[in-house]
Amino acid sequence: MQVVSISSLKGGVGKTSVTLGLASAALAAGIPTLVVDLDPHADATTGLAVTPDDRTDVGRLLKNARRGDLAANTVPSGWVSTAARLSGTSDVGGSATGRLDVAMGSAHSGIYDRPDLGRRDQGRLAALLSRLTGYSLVLIDCPPSLNGLTRIAWTASNTVLLVAEPALFSVAGTERTMRALELFRREFAPDLHTAGIVANRVRPASGEHGFRLAEMRRMFGDLLLHPTLPDEIEWQQIQGAAHAVHHWPSDSARQTAGHFDELLRSVVDSGRMRSRVRR
């Protein structure tokens, strides 16, 4: 099971949008996937069209990590029933259309988002995931900080995917994140690696964006992933409707879906390559 943290130490760069796009690509590819919404704002939970019923959110599960049953409290994304309807099947359990479940976010996880979190608390999500079966991929939507929740996510992960905009403050923030990730790796997680950096909300006609993309290539080299993600006006509408980008009926959405298909392959292939090297 590959566990990927989607991270940025700067807010507003579209980290949750990238998480949702990768989840959409995983569903389309038939990869059994769990999205863990670790951001207290729980935007990924909303975007994945979750109906919570009586399930326990991830914040409360973290509190009881030793005995908590994550598998019993995941919720199917509403995208799965949409995929079944579009494919003309009645299967909403995931066997024909793919499996996409959610560990729901909530404000309760915020109690762990503090800078003084100890090593024992950092392992809470890893403990929950260690008892989980049936998934090939776990995507963790992290809050935009390096406080406790991000460290909890990194401890549970084998891969970190960074999200940045081609703008001065975001590029500088990504460089700080890379340094923080290296320090975290040395102290806590020697097998953790960086899958790459996604340049998000790129405007090809912007001279500033072109300059910053060139700067990112110089600074990060092959870690800057291809393709970059364009700044699409439709994104707000797609997310407001709580739809997968792969289900949205427009040419621009299909093009964006193709970008996420390619990014997902890069992330998955990166994880497989690292696993082979460790063996």
Side-chain angles (χ1 to χ4, degrees), residues 112-196:
Y112 294 105
D113 204 27
R114 58 183 194 267
D116 60 341
L117 203 69
R119 185 185 291 265
R120 180 178 177 181
D121 283 335
Q122 285 181 186
R124 287 177 178 271
L125 181 58
L128 290 170
L129 291 177
S130 69
R131 299 187 290 273
L132 198 66
T133 60
Y135 300 98
S136 299
L137 179 65
V138 176
L139 301 172
I140 306 175
D141 188 34
C142 299
S145 71
L146 193 54
N147 286 333
L149 286 173
T150 294
R151 297 204 299 275
I152 284 173
W154 288 2
T155 300
S157 299
N158 41 46
T159 302
V160 176
L161 180 68
L162 302 178
V163 181
E165 285 184 309
L168 173 61
F169 298 139
S170 182
V171 174
T174 302
E175 188 176 26
R176 290 194 299 272
T177 308
M178 292 286 291
R179 290 198 299 266
L181 183 57
E182 181 57 31
L183 291 172
F184 185 87
R185 181 188 294 116
R186 291 177 186 175
E187 187 171 359
F188 299 109
D191 291 333
L192 187 66
H193 78 278
T194 307

Side-chain angles (χ1 to χ4, degrees), residues 24-33 94-99 136 264:
S24 179
L27 177 61
I31 299 172
T33 299
S95 60
T97 59
R99 182 179 184 185
S136 299
L264 181 66

